Amino acid sequence: MLWLLVFFLVPFFVLGRISLAEVMIARPPYSPLWDRAADGTLNIIASLDNYRFLLADALYRNAYLSSIGIAFTSTVFALLIGYPIAYYVARSPEPRRTILLLLVILPFWTSFLLRVYAWIGFLQREGLINSTLMMLGVIDTPLVLMQTTLAVQIGIVYTYLPFMILPLYANLVKLDDQLLEASADLGAGPVTTFLTVTLPLSVPGIIAGCMLVFIPAIGEYVIPALLGGPDTLMIGRVLWDEFFSSRDWPVAASVAIVMLFLVVAPIMWLQSWLDRRGLNQ
């Protein structure tokens, strides 16, 4: 509770207070929420104008929709790639399992910024991917990979893939082998056993992995800034521009508060759904 109070509730209330203010050329660059008149009357300055501005401006709506779309697509691809890896690691015997887990965690030993920069060498016009495809005769002219939405999705999937694999592995490694044996004894093949036993029991791991990828991806700034182009509109870039370029802290705080609710609302719904299904263990 102390951790949540200091690192979540206090910043949340600070942002909420700024979002109700008006922008000012001052330090700090926003107005107080109230002041006292000469006769001692307390005047409330707080308003919801910043939130009305967000709803009326198409730029912010498009940024939210684009961020949700990119984060959702990246999460789906991370799940499709991460689930087979996690399943293979969980089913592997020791000591191979430890080595495979080490390989999954190994990218964390390198700077996040360097790992994203490395993809520029792969995706640029004269990069490794285009050079290999042209050498094999698959393409005649280089593909446009850099500064695209695809490049951003590749960067997000690569960066957050371990966050998908580790919760799935933690869930799959605890799977009781006797359940799989019972399914085989009853005549189910490997595919049927996977769809009726393994996959339903791994739903909590799937949900945990998806949340660990989707939540940071929706507010990602570094990857779109390095790999994306001017058409790649994400809410993290909008926040940066409002805070540091426009110096409009009240609007930036409003953007952050709305994004928080857009992320928290689905999480609360999933939490309720898991509790009703008895899967939140």
Side-chain angles (χ1 to χ4, degrees):
M1 292 298 293
L2 181 62
W3 177 273
L4 289 176
L5 175 66
V6 174
F7 295 104
F8 178 76
L9 289 179
V10 171
F12 175 78
F13 283 116
V14 170
L15 278 179
R17 175 253 183 275
I18 297 175
S19 70
L20 299 176
E22 298 177 0
V23 63
M24 294 181 63
I25 302 177
R27 183 175 296 180
Y30 50 86
S31 64
L33 296 184
W34 58 79
D35 63 357
R36 288 190 177 275
D39 58 357
T41 305
L42 188 65
N43 298 322
I44 304 298
I45 307 177
S47 70
L48 299 176
D49 290 343
N50 295 318
Y51 294 98
R52 298 189 188 99
F53 175 71
L54 294 185
L55 295 176
D57 197 316
L59 170 68
Y60 300 100
R61 294 198 302 270
N62 294 335
Y64 284 122
L65 293 175
S66 176
S67 299
I68 292 172
I70 292 175
F72 177 79
T73 306
S74 303
T75 302
V76 171
F77 279 108
L79 176 62
L80 294 176
I81 297 172
Y83 196 102
I85 297 175
Y87 184 86
Y88 178 76
V89 174
R91 297 290 98 187
S92 297
E94 292 288 0
R96 187 195 305 170
R97 183 188 303 171
T98 303
I99 298 175
L100 293 174
L101 273 178
L102 180 63
L103 294 177
V104 171
I105 302 172
L106 196 60
F108 288 119
W109 296 4
T110 307
S111 168
F112 165 76
L113 194 60
L114 290 178
R115 285 184 280 133
V116 177
Y117 260 114
W119 274 101
I120 298 177
F122 285 95
L123 298 173
Q124 62 186 357
R125 187 176 180 87
E126 296 82 15
L128 181 62
I129 295 177
N130 277 320
S131 300
T132 303
L133 293 177
M134 293 183 68
M135 183 180 64
L136 296 176
V138 178
I139 58 175
D140 297 325
T141 57
L143 300 174
V144 179
L145 299 175
M146 273 294 297
Q147 297 185 336
T148 61
T149 301
L150 176 62
V152 174
Q153 291 171 338
I154 291 174
I156 292 175
V157 171
Y158 164 76
T159 302
Y160 294 109
L161 187 59
F163 294 100
M164 179 67 74
I165 295 175
L166 294 177
L168 284 170
Y169 163 79
N171 181 269
L172 291 171
V173 77
K174 296 185 296 184
L175 188 63
D176 191 350
D177 291 336
Q178 292 182 350
L179 298 176
L180 306 180
E181 295 173 359
S183 177
D185 291 340
L186 294 172
V191 176
T192 303
T193 299
F194 174 79
L195 295 176
T196 58
V197 178
T198 305
L199 188 60
L201 291 176
S202 62
V203 168
I206 293 174
I207 294 175
C210 288
M211 287 195 297
L212 286 176
V213 174
F214 180 80
I215 292 173
I218 197 173
E220 182 59 53
Y221 169 74
V222 175
I223 296 175
L226 294 179
L227 302 181
D231 296 333
T232 307
L233 184 62
M234 292 193 71
I235 205 66
R237 181 60 181 270
V238 174
L239 277 172
W240 174 274
D241 290 340
E242 292 293 350
F243 265 119
F244 300 104
S245 298
S246 302
R247 296 280 295 175
D248 194 339
W249 285 28
V251 169
S254 304
V255 172
I257 293 293
V258 172
M259 184 177 69
L260 178 64
F261 279 106
L262 288 176
V263 173
V264 169
I267 293 176
M268 294 178 64
W269 179 84
L270 279 174
Q271 185 79 18
S272 176
W273 182 82
L274 287 173
D275 289 339
R276 291 197 304 269
R277 293 294 189 93
L279 297 174
N280 195 15
Q281 300 176 356

